Amino acid sequence: MSDSITVEVIRHGLLASAQEMARNLCRTAYNTIVYEIHDYGVGLHDPDGNVVADTPGIASFTGANDFGVKNAVSFLGRESLHDGDVILLNYPYWSCAHTLDALVLAPVMVDDRVIAFASCRVHLLDLKQKDAGYVLDSTDMAQEGIFFPAVKVCERGQPNQDILNIIRFNSRLPERTLGDLHAQISACQTGDRLIKAMARKHGVETLIEAMREINDHGERLTLAALARLPKGTWSAVDYVDSDGVVEDQLLRLEVSVTIADDKMIVDWSRTDQPALGPLNAPRGLTLAVTMLTFKFLTTPDSPVTAGNFRPLEVITKPGSLMEAVPPMPTFTLWTGLLAPEVITKALAKGMPGLIPGCSGGDVCDVMALGLDPRTGQPWLEAINDAVGFGGHAEGDGEDGIMHVTEPGCRNNPIEVLETKAPLLIDRYGYRPDSAGPGRHRGGVGVERTYHFLAPATAIVINYKTKTQPWGLEGGGPGVSNTVILRPGTAQEQRVGASYNHLQAGERITNLTGGGGGWGNPFERDPERVAGDVEAGLVSLGHAADEYGVVIDPTSRVVDVAATRARRSVAPDGAP
């Protein structure tokens, strides 16, 4: 049995190795989606495929990689794995994501024995899906690109040119797609090299035993956290804007959550209707986003291990919105991205002091592509804009940070976008008055305006525009996400998820949602309201109407008497 010091040394060695894999990935990737936004998930796994260390960008990729590694090994057979093999998997029902979120994994082998796996998932730009950039309205898996059901892209250390040529001749952006794929392969090979070095240093048996102890310890941490939580069963319902095909019909997400002393059960089975369009979630994706929520509820301050999730049970129904089966379309992942806060909405009924209000609720992605007149080459850039987070019992929600599903991600900087694409960013900053009012207000969202210098297709991927982010304990809702096409013109239009063809000189503004408030807004300290006004987060009118705080427009000082009078009347006009 390894001593605790050795286990801890190995644990930190694994974490450092995963971080080095991610650094290698970012240094060699071709696309800003990877090296700027950090749309990736990097992991190291024990011989059975259980994650022991990760470096998340998209947090749900951690659970997705775990699931995908096991499916790939099951499909290929452990006996077919060799030193130097690298495997490509993007079959959605096995890999937990759409075709472009491709998983690359490598078995780490010593003396013909698998001692670990290295994994790396990124968003590739194009694999012959029916539409360039992103698919919003597929009705069958055959429209969603090329599937690689666990194929060896490298075999015994040698690239498989047949697979690489299939990708090259079936991608609209072959150089950039293959460039990112090679970066993934390099990241996994880095993990392979570092794990083998650890095995030489500590011994194979000690390394494997330490991995086992790391996961056992992760389980013990989770069980201790569950024991401290309120016990009971709670349910909640929330909505996705549409399924991409029937655009005037909300998709209903319903979940039931049970917390017992030694487990948490998350039941999605009442979300039974499948979507006609590509909003169906493979079971692996549902597992991954549920795991994310479970992690931040129980052990948010410790690194991810598979052991953290042993006390979690997830129930889904085959053929439903939350467990897609072939040939159901799955390309648009947003059902999974919105699912975590449906779980927290249910939990808030039993533990409002521990759960924040809803965030702006979406990733708020604007993707744009076209032909760059400066180079004559096609271009494609994606921008995930930040949202406000929900207020909570201990304080205000954070202003303008990345959505809960992508805590390791960053926005795409203005300087990079204006260099890589024929566009200008006319405006970028916080969105005033978007926060849900409360004793602890929600965080504000952001506003960004894109000014296209050449014809372009702007793809809006935003599925929480028709419902508001909810508040708690009397807090008000946040303002919803929306996108404005051609703002300030006669053709101005507000849209959610959509394809939009814009001409040179036209603009699009992304307005992201604010978080829900927590508690009665008339109980908020007037000086804090005045501070929000001074910071430009709350307008004078909003301060008076939503918080009952009257502020002198010249001095910006709280009018105490007028505020007292205003707050003597409830916001609805009742005394």
Side-chain angles (χ1 to χ4, degrees):
M1 173 121 186
S2 299
D3 62 274
S4 59
I5 294 176
T6 300
V7 171
E8 190 68 358
V9 169
I10 290 174
R11 185 175 74 87
H12 281 277
L14 292 167
L15 290 168
S17 297
Q19 291 165 1
E20 187 166 340
M21 290 171 64
R23 285 194 294 270
N24 178 290
L25 175 71
C26 289
R27 284 197 302 266
T28 57
Y30 275 46
N31 292 290
T32 60
I33 291 173
V34 181
Y35 66 78
E36 289 289 353
I37 295 177
H38 289 183
D39 191 331
Y40 62 69
V42 170
L44 291 169
H45 311 254
D46 71 13
D48 296 319
N50 302 304
V51 65
V52 290
D54 80 324
T55 302
I58 304 289
S60 59
F61 281 178
T62 293
N65 287 7
D66 200 308
F67 189 85
V69 167
K70 293 172 184 176
N71 277 312
V73 173
S74 175
F75 178 68
L76 291 173
R78 190 170 291 264
E79 69 283 355
S80 72
L81 302 179
H82 303 101
D83 191 32
D85 287 354
V86 181
I87 298 159
L88 170 63
L89 171 64
N90 77 333
Y91 187 58
Y93 317 98
W94 295 351
S95 75
C96 316
H98 63 196
T99 47
L100 296 189
D101 283 340
L103 173 63
V104 169
L105 61 125
V108 182
M109 305 191 72
V110 173
D111 297 330
D112 295 325
R113 175 188 178 187
V114 176
I115 65 167
F117 290 92
S119 69
C120 177
R121 184 188 301 267
V122 308
H123 179 91
L124 299 177
L125 292 192
D126 194 278
L127 288 172
K128 208 180 181 181
Q129 68 280 3
K130 78 180 190 71
D131 299 312
Y134 219 83
V135 177
L136 301 181
D137 61 355
S138 54
T139 55
D140 186 277
M141 62 183 281
Q143 301 168 336
E144 298 184 345
I146 304 173
F147 298 110
F148 294 96
V151 298
K152 293 185 180 181
V153 70
C154 293
E155 190 161 5
R156 300 179 190 264
Q158 297 302 310
N160 185 332
Q161 290 299 332
D162 289 338
I163 297 298
L164 296 176
N165 284 333
I166 288 172
I167 294 171
R168 182 181 302 279
F169 285 89
N170 285 277
S171 174
R172 299 173 180 90
L173 297 163
E175 181 181 0
R176 294 171 67 183
T177 298
L178 284 171
D180 284 345
L181 177 60
H182 283 300
Q184 289 180 270
I185 293 169
S186 178
C188 287
Q189 290 171 337
T190 297
D192 177 87
R193 172 175 55 82
L194 294 171
I195 292 294
K196 285 176 177 173
M198 293 179 68
R200 287 193 298 271
K201 179 177 180 179
H202 300 285
V204 168
E205 296 304 330
T206 298
L207 177 60
I208 292 174
E209 188 176 330
M211 292 180 182
R212 187 179 303 113
E213 174 55 30
I214 287 166
N215 274 318
D216 289 346
H217 180 253
E219 180 182 22
R220 291 194 296 271
L221 289 176
T222 300
L223 288 171
L226 280 174
R228 295 190 294 267
L229 291 176
K231 306 303 184 290
T233 299
W234 309 278
S235 298
V237 173
D238 212 337
Y239 298 90
V240 182
D241 279 0
S242 77
D243 68 1
V245 176
V246 185
E247 295 187 358
D248 60 350
Q249 180 176 314
L250 295 172
L251 287 181
R252 189 173 190 270
L253 297 176
E254 182 173 356
V255 71
S256 176
V257 184
T258 299
I259 295 182
D261 287 332
D262 60 352
K263 73 166 53 178
M264 177 166 143
I265 303 169
V266 180
D267 185 352
W268 292 101
S269 61
R270 283 185 284 184
T271 301
D272 55 356
Q273 283 294 110
L276 180 60
L279 273 291
N280 300 292
R283 175 169 167 83
L285 175 60
T286 301
L287 286 173
V289 295
T290 305
M291 289 162 66
L292 166 64
T293 315
F294 184 67
K295 177 65 177 173
F296 71 63
L297 179 68
T298 54
T299 55
D301 298 324
S302 64
V304 166
T305 74
N308 291 144
F309 308 110
R310 291 173 184 166
L312 174 64
E313 179 182 348
V314 181
I315 300 172
T316 57
K317 181 179 179 181
S320 70
L321 185 65
M322 305 306 283
E323 189 180 343
V325 296
M328 291 169 62
T330 63
F331 195 96
T332 309
L333 302 174
W334 260 244
T335 300
L337 301 185
L338 271 57
E341 289 186 295
V342 188
I343 300 173
T344 58
K345 188 176 184 181
L347 292 171
K349 295 178 180 179
M351 51 187 83
L354 297 177
I355 301 296
C358 186
S359 75
D362 207 334
V363 170
C364 301
D365 193 342
V366 173
M367 180 180 289
L369 62 150
L371 192 67
D372 191 335
R374 301 170 299 182
T375 64
Q377 297 299 312
W379 64 274
L380 185 155
E381 295 295 331
I383 308 95
N384 295 354
D385 274 322
V387 295
F389 268 42
H392 49 91
E394 301 300 321
D396 297 343
E398 294 292 332
D399 300 315
I401 61 174
M402 304 308 287
H403 186 251
V404 65
T405 57
E406 41 180 27
C409 291
R410 312 182 300 191
N411 63 17
N412 214 335
I414 292 172
E415 297 83 356
V416 171
L417 287 171
E418 293 183 343
T419 300
K420 296 287 186 180
L423 59 80
L424 297 173
I425 303 299
D426 285 356
R427 178 183 177 86
Y428 185 33
Y430 287 138
R431 181 187 182 189
D433 294 340
S434 57
R439 173 150 53 97
H440 302 301
R441 65 166 176 82
V444 296
V446 302
E447 173 182 352
R448 189 179 335 214
T449 297
Y450 306 86
H451 177 181
F452 294 99
L453 304 179
T457 298
I459 307 172
V460 176
I461 317 174
N462 193 333
Y463 284 87
K464 194 172 180 63
T465 66
K466 298 177 182 178
T467 55
Q468 291 180 286
W470 38 268
L472 287 174
E473 299 295 291
V479 176
S480 299
N481 307 287
T482 192
V483 172
I484 305 176
L485 298 179
R486 306 175 184 90
T489 71
Q491 292 78 41
E492 179 176 306
Q493 180 184 4
R494 290 181 176 256
V495 300
S498 56
Y499 285 93
N500 306 282
H501 301 292
L502 301 175
Q503 299 303 311
E506 293 188 320
R507 294 170 172 82
I508 183 170
T509 296
N510 193 16
L511 296 165
T512 74
W518 195 98
N520 183 352
F522 273 33
E523 296 176 359
R524 185 168 177 80
D525 182 348
E527 293 301 328
R528 297 190 69 187
V529 178
D532 291 337
V533 171
E534 185 65 24
L537 305 178
V538 174
S539 66
L540 290 169
H542 200 72
D545 293 342
E546 299 295 338
Y547 294 94
V549 176
V550 180
I551 299 172
D552 183 274
T554 303
S555 67
R556 299 299 176 99
V557 173
V558 174
D559 185 328
V560 176
T563 295
R564 186 180 299 114
R566 187 73 175 245
R567 284 189 162 184
S568 67
V569 179
D572 61 2

